[in-house]
Amino acid sequence: MSLGSPHSEAMTNETDIAEEARSKSAQRRRSWIRLVIGVVAYAAAMIAVRVWGHLGGTAPGRFLWAFLPLIPAAWLVINITLRARQLDEYQIKLVYRALVVGFTVAIFTAATLGMLGISGLYLPYAGWIVVFAGGVSWGVTNIVTGAVRQF
Amino acid sequence: MGRDQHRHWGSTAILMENIIRREREKRGWTQAALAVRLGVSRQTVNAIETGKYDPSLPLAFRIARQFDHPIEGLFTPDDQ
């Protein structure tokens, strides 16, 4: 790939570069497909738990149902980790910013809800409020910094 | 514009100017082609060229090797 390459070698290099760019693009597409599969499977598992899990009942099996979404969640964690390993230093920097914001917002939301709980105000589905606050702030920061385009 | 964005996140480090775009265009390479040569994304090459991102030392060395220039010939501190 040196600059002084003979013409034929330069042609081969250009072909290699185009091939590698295509392969990177395919790799990125495959990652996206796996992530979408994970998100859909997670949503399906949540719906299945709500419909058939009877979490509000008394059957001991309800605890197993509550853990069902962890299967697609594990798939998502594995695939996100694999994708993160493919990111370069600038992409990691962008993704990191959104994670910092999302994590901080989630922690302080949880702390605030905890304080409200101590003062006697119990909010139903408080865990979901934490998920929503962390997830939205993470997503919005990804959009603002342009990190969303890196995936 | 890129520098403002850089400072927006609180970075107080001395920013670098570079001649990557000029050197790349001199060779007729696209950003995507340079990205493949460097093993990074096209967005990363664009961020470096527009001054939004200063590369790490290992990446700066890879860039210097591609253009057959010393690092200090490609990157200069903004305050000079």
Side-chain angles (χ1 to χ4, degrees), chain A residues 76-108:
Chain A
L76 276 170
V77 169
I78 290 167
N79 281 292
I80 288 171
T81 307
L82 290 174
R83 179 65 191 139
R85 287 175 65 178
Q86 294 165 355
L87 298 179
D88 66 38
E89 56 185 58
Y90 174 64
Q91 292 171 317
I92 287 170
K93 187 179 174 180
L94 292 182
V95 170
Y96 172 77
R97 287 170 177 170
L99 286 174
V100 167
V101 173
F103 176 78
T104 309
V105 169
I107 288 291
F108 282 109

Short mmCIF file of all heavy atoms in Angstrom, two decimals, chain A residues 76-108:
data_model
loop_
_atom_site.label_atom_id
_atom_site.label_comp_id
_atom_site.label_asym_id
_atom_site.label_seq_id
_atom_site.Cartn_x
_atom_site.Cartn_y
_atom_site.Cartn_z
N LEU A 76 -28.61 -9.65 23.37
CA LEU A 76 -28.33 -8.24 23.07
C LEU A 76 -26.98 -7.80 23.65
O LEU A 76 -26.19 -7.14 22.97
CB LEU A 76 -29.45 -7.35 23.64
CG LEU A 76 -30.68 -7.20 22.77
CD1 LEU A 76 -31.81 -6.53 23.53
CD2 LEU A 76 -30.35 -6.39 21.51
N VAL A 77 -26.74 -8.19 24.89
CA VAL A 77 -25.48 -7.80 25.55
C VAL A 77 -24.29 -8.36 24.77
O VAL A 77 -23.31 -7.65 24.49
CB VAL A 77 -25.45 -8.29 27.02
CG1 VAL A 77 -24.06 -8.14 27.61
CG2 VAL A 77 -26.46 -7.53 27.85
N ILE A 78 -24.39 -9.64 24.37
CA ILE A 78 -23.29 -10.27 23.63
C ILE A 78 -23.05 -9.53 22.31
O ILE A 78 -21.92 -9.19 21.95
CB ILE A 78 -23.58 -11.77 23.38
CG1 ILE A 78 -23.50 -12.54 24.71
CG2 ILE A 78 -22.61 -12.37 22.36
CD1 ILE A 78 -24.06 -13.94 24.66
N ASN A 79 -24.13 -9.25 21.59
CA ASN A 79 -23.98 -8.62 20.28
C ASN A 79 -23.52 -7.16 20.37
O ASN A 79 -22.76 -6.70 19.52
CB ASN A 79 -25.27 -8.75 19.48
CG ASN A 79 -25.39 -10.13 18.88
OD1 ASN A 79 -24.62 -10.50 18.00
ND2 ASN A 79 -26.30 -10.93 19.40
N ILE A 80 -24.01 -6.46 21.40
CA ILE A 80 -23.55 -5.08 21.58
C ILE A 80 -22.06 -5.08 21.93
O ILE A 80 -21.29 -4.25 21.43
CB ILE A 80 -24.38 -4.37 22.68
CG1 ILE A 80 -25.78 -4.09 22.16
CG2 ILE A 80 -23.72 -3.06 23.11
CD1 ILE A 80 -26.76 -3.58 23.20
N THR A 81 -21.65 -6.04 22.75
CA THR A 81 -20.23 -6.13 23.11
C THR A 81 -19.38 -6.43 21.89
O THR A 81 -18.32 -5.82 21.68
CB THR A 81 -20.02 -7.24 24.18
OG1 THR A 81 -20.91 -6.98 25.26
CG2 THR A 81 -18.60 -7.26 24.68
N LEU A 82 -19.86 -7.36 21.05
CA LEU A 82 -19.11 -7.69 19.83
C LEU A 82 -19.01 -6.48 18.91
O LEU A 82 -17.96 -6.21 18.32
CB LEU A 82 -19.79 -8.85 19.09
CG LEU A 82 -19.69 -10.23 19.76
CD1 LEU A 82 -20.52 -11.26 19.02
CD2 LEU A 82 -18.24 -10.68 19.85
N ARG A 83 -20.10 -5.73 18.80
CA ARG A 83 -20.11 -4.54 17.94
C ARG A 83 -19.16 -3.48 18.51
O ARG A 83 -18.43 -2.81 17.78
CB ARG A 83 -21.54 -3.99 17.81
CG ARG A 83 -21.65 -2.73 16.97
CD ARG A 83 -21.30 -2.98 15.52
NE ARG A 83 -21.16 -1.73 14.80
CZ ARG A 83 -20.22 -1.48 13.91
NH1 ARG A 83 -19.32 -2.40 13.61
NH2 ARG A 83 -20.15 -0.33 13.29
N ALA A 84 -19.19 -3.33 19.84
CA ALA A 84 -18.32 -2.33 20.49
C ALA A 84 -16.85 -2.64 20.22
O ALA A 84 -16.03 -1.73 20.08
CB ALA A 84 -18.59 -2.29 21.99
N ARG A 85 -16.53 -3.93 20.11
CA ARG A 85 -15.13 -4.31 19.84
C ARG A 85 -14.70 -3.95 18.43
O ARG A 85 -13.52 -3.89 18.13
CB ARG A 85 -14.95 -5.81 20.08
CG ARG A 85 -14.99 -6.16 21.56
CD ARG A 85 -14.92 -7.64 21.79
NE ARG A 85 -13.66 -8.21 21.35
CZ ARG A 85 -13.34 -9.49 21.47
NH1 ARG A 85 -14.21 -10.32 22.01
NH2 ARG A 85 -12.20 -9.94 21.06
N GLN A 86 -15.69 -3.72 17.55
CA GLN A 86 -15.36 -3.36 16.16
C GLN A 86 -15.21 -1.85 15.99
O GLN A 86 -14.79 -1.40 14.93
CB GLN A 86 -16.47 -3.86 15.22
CG GLN A 86 -16.58 -5.37 15.15
CD GLN A 86 -17.88 -5.82 14.52
OE1 GLN A 86 -18.75 -5.02 14.21
NE2 GLN A 86 -18.02 -7.12 14.33
N LEU A 87 -15.59 -1.08 17.02
CA LEU A 87 -15.54 0.38 16.88
C LEU A 87 -14.11 0.89 16.96
O LEU A 87 -13.28 0.32 17.67
CB LEU A 87 -16.38 1.04 17.99
CG LEU A 87 -17.87 0.71 18.02
CD1 LEU A 87 -18.53 1.41 19.19
CD2 LEU A 87 -18.54 1.12 16.72
N ASP A 88 -13.84 1.98 16.25
CA ASP A 88 -12.50 2.57 16.35
C ASP A 88 -12.49 3.63 17.45
O ASP A 88 -13.51 3.87 18.11
CB ASP A 88 -12.03 3.11 15.00
CG ASP A 88 -12.86 4.28 14.51
OD1 ASP A 88 -13.27 5.10 15.35
OD2 ASP A 88 -13.13 4.37 13.30
N GLU A 89 -11.35 4.27 17.65
CA GLU A 89 -11.19 5.16 18.81
C GLU A 89 -12.15 6.35 18.82
O GLU A 89 -12.64 6.73 19.88
CB GLU A 89 -9.73 5.63 18.90
CG GLU A 89 -9.25 6.33 17.64
CD GLU A 89 -7.77 6.68 17.71
OE1 GLU A 89 -6.96 5.76 17.89
OE2 GLU A 89 -7.44 7.88 17.57
N TYR A 90 -12.43 6.93 17.66
CA TYR A 90 -13.34 8.08 17.61
C TYR A 90 -14.78 7.64 17.90
O TYR A 90 -15.51 8.29 18.63
CB TYR A 90 -13.25 8.75 16.24
CG TYR A 90 -14.24 9.87 16.03
CD1 TYR A 90 -14.20 11.03 16.80
CD2 TYR A 90 -15.22 9.78 15.04
CE1 TYR A 90 -15.10 12.05 16.60
CE2 TYR A 90 -16.14 10.79 14.84
CZ TYR A 90 -16.07 11.93 15.61
OH TYR A 90 -16.97 12.93 15.41
N GLN A 91 -15.16 6.50 17.33
CA GLN A 91 -16.50 5.98 17.56
C GLN A 91 -16.70 5.65 19.04
O GLN A 91 -17.76 5.95 19.60
CB GLN A 91 -16.73 4.72 16.72
CG GLN A 91 -16.77 5.01 15.23
CD GLN A 91 -16.78 3.75 14.39
OE1 GLN A 91 -16.04 2.80 14.68
NE2 GLN A 91 -17.60 3.72 13.37
N ILE A 92 -15.67 5.08 19.66
CA ILE A 92 -15.76 4.75 21.09
C ILE A 92 -15.95 6.03 21.90
O ILE A 92 -16.74 6.08 22.83
CB ILE A 92 -14.51 3.98 21.55
CG1 ILE A 92 -14.55 2.56 21.00
CG2 ILE A 92 -14.38 3.96 23.08
CD1 ILE A 92 -13.29 1.77 21.17
N LYS A 93 -15.24 7.09 21.50
CA LYS A 93 -15.34 8.36 22.21
C LYS A 93 -16.78 8.89 22.16
O LYS A 93 -17.32 9.34 23.17
CB LYS A 93 -14.38 9.37 21.58
CG LYS A 93 -14.29 10.67 22.33
CD LYS A 93 -13.32 11.60 21.65
CE LYS A 93 -13.35 12.96 22.33
NZ LYS A 93 -12.44 13.90 21.72
N LEU A 94 -17.40 8.81 20.98
CA LEU A 94 -18.77 9.29 20.84
C LEU A 94 -19.75 8.44 21.65
O LEU A 94 -20.62 8.96 22.34
CB LEU A 94 -19.18 9.26 19.36
CG LEU A 94 -18.49 10.24 18.43
CD1 LEU A 94 -19.06 10.11 17.03
CD2 LEU A 94 -18.65 11.68 18.92
N VAL A 95 -19.58 7.13 21.56
CA VAL A 95 -20.48 6.22 22.26
C VAL A 95 -20.34 6.39 23.78
O VAL A 95 -21.32 6.36 24.52
CB VAL A 95 -20.19 4.76 21.84
CG1 VAL A 95 -20.93 3.77 22.72
CG2 VAL A 95 -20.59 4.55 20.38
N TYR A 96 -19.12 6.62 24.21
CA TYR A 96 -18.82 6.80 25.64
C TYR A 96 -19.58 7.98 26.22
O TYR A 96 -20.13 7.91 27.32
CB TYR A 96 -17.30 6.97 25.79
CG TYR A 96 -16.82 7.36 27.15
CD1 TYR A 96 -16.75 6.42 28.17
CD2 TYR A 96 -16.41 8.66 27.43
CE1 TYR A 96 -16.30 6.77 29.43
CE2 TYR A 96 -15.96 9.02 28.67
CZ TYR A 96 -15.91 8.07 29.68
OH TYR A 96 -15.46 8.45 30.91
N ARG A 97 -19.64 9.08 25.48
CA ARG A 97 -20.33 10.28 25.98
C ARG A 97 -21.79 9.96 26.30
O ARG A 97 -22.31 10.35 27.34
CB ARG A 97 -20.30 11.39 24.92
CG ARG A 97 -18.95 12.03 24.78
CD ARG A 97 -18.94 12.92 23.56
NE ARG A 97 -17.68 13.62 23.43
CZ ARG A 97 -17.33 14.31 22.37
NH1 ARG A 97 -18.14 14.40 21.34
NH2 ARG A 97 -16.16 14.92 22.32
N ALA A 98 -22.45 9.26 25.38
CA ALA A 98 -23.86 8.93 25.57
C ALA A 98 -24.03 7.99 26.76
O ALA A 98 -24.99 8.12 27.53
CB ALA A 98 -24.43 8.31 24.30
N LEU A 99 -23.09 7.05 26.92
CA LEU A 99 -23.18 6.13 28.05
C LEU A 99 -23.03 6.88 29.38
O LEU A 99 -23.71 6.59 30.35
CB LEU A 99 -22.10 5.05 27.94
CG LEU A 99 -22.35 3.98 26.89
CD1 LEU A 99 -21.15 3.06 26.76
CD2 LEU A 99 -23.58 3.16 27.24
N VAL A 100 -22.12 7.86 29.40
CA VAL A 100 -21.91 8.66 30.62
C VAL A 100 -23.20 9.38 30.99
O VAL A 100 -23.65 9.33 32.14
CB VAL A 100 -20.75 9.67 30.41
CG1 VAL A 100 -20.74 10.71 31.53
CG2 VAL A 100 -19.42 8.96 30.35
N VAL A 101 -23.82 10.02 29.99
CA VAL A 101 -25.05 10.78 30.26
C VAL A 101 -26.17 9.82 30.69
O VAL A 101 -26.85 10.05 31.70
CB VAL A 101 -25.47 11.59 29.01
CG1 VAL A 101 -26.83 12.23 29.22
CG2 VAL A 101 -24.43 12.66 28.71
N GLY A 102 -26.36 8.73 29.93
CA GLY A 102 -27.42 7.77 30.24
C GLY A 102 -27.26 7.17 31.62
O GLY A 102 -28.22 7.09 32.39
N PHE A 103 -26.04 6.77 31.95
CA PHE A 103 -25.77 6.15 33.25
C PHE A 103 -26.03 7.15 34.39
O PHE A 103 -26.68 6.84 35.38
CB PHE A 103 -24.31 5.67 33.30
CG PHE A 103 -23.90 5.11 34.62
CD1 PHE A 103 -24.28 3.82 34.99
CD2 PHE A 103 -23.13 5.85 35.50
CE1 PHE A 103 -23.90 3.31 36.22
CE2 PHE A 103 -22.75 5.34 36.73
CZ PHE A 103 -23.14 4.06 37.09
N THR A 104 -25.52 8.39 34.22
CA THR A 104 -25.67 9.40 35.27
C THR A 104 -27.15 9.73 35.50
O THR A 104 -27.61 9.81 36.64
CB THR A 104 -24.90 10.68 34.89
OG1 THR A 104 -23.56 10.31 34.54
CG2 THR A 104 -24.85 11.67 36.02
N VAL A 105 -27.88 9.91 34.40
CA VAL A 105 -29.31 10.23 34.54
C VAL A 105 -30.04 9.07 35.23
O VAL A 105 -30.86 9.30 36.13
CB VAL A 105 -29.93 10.52 33.15
CG1 VAL A 105 -31.46 10.57 33.23
CG2 VAL A 105 -29.40 11.84 32.60
N ALA A 106 -29.72 7.83 34.85
CA ALA A 106 -30.38 6.67 35.46
C ALA A 106 -30.09 6.60 36.96
O ALA A 106 -30.99 6.38 37.77
CB ALA A 106 -29.92 5.38 34.77
N ILE A 107 -28.83 6.83 37.33
CA ILE A 107 -28.44 6.77 38.75
C ILE A 107 -29.18 7.84 39.56
O ILE A 107 -29.75 7.57 40.61
CB ILE A 107 -26.91 6.97 38.89
CG1 ILE A 107 -26.16 5.72 38.40
CG2 ILE A 107 -26.51 7.30 40.33
CD1 ILE A 107 -26.34 4.51 39.28
N PHE A 108 -29.20 9.08 39.03
CA PHE A 108 -29.84 10.15 39.80
C PHE A 108 -31.36 10.02 39.81
O PHE A 108 -32.02 10.42 40.77
CB PHE A 108 -29.39 11.53 39.29
CG PHE A 108 -28.02 11.89 39.80
CD1 PHE A 108 -26.92 11.91 38.96
CD2 PHE A 108 -27.82 12.15 41.15
CE1 PHE A 108 -25.65 12.19 39.44
CE2 PHE A 108 -26.55 12.43 41.64
CZ PHE A 108 -25.47 12.46 40.79
#
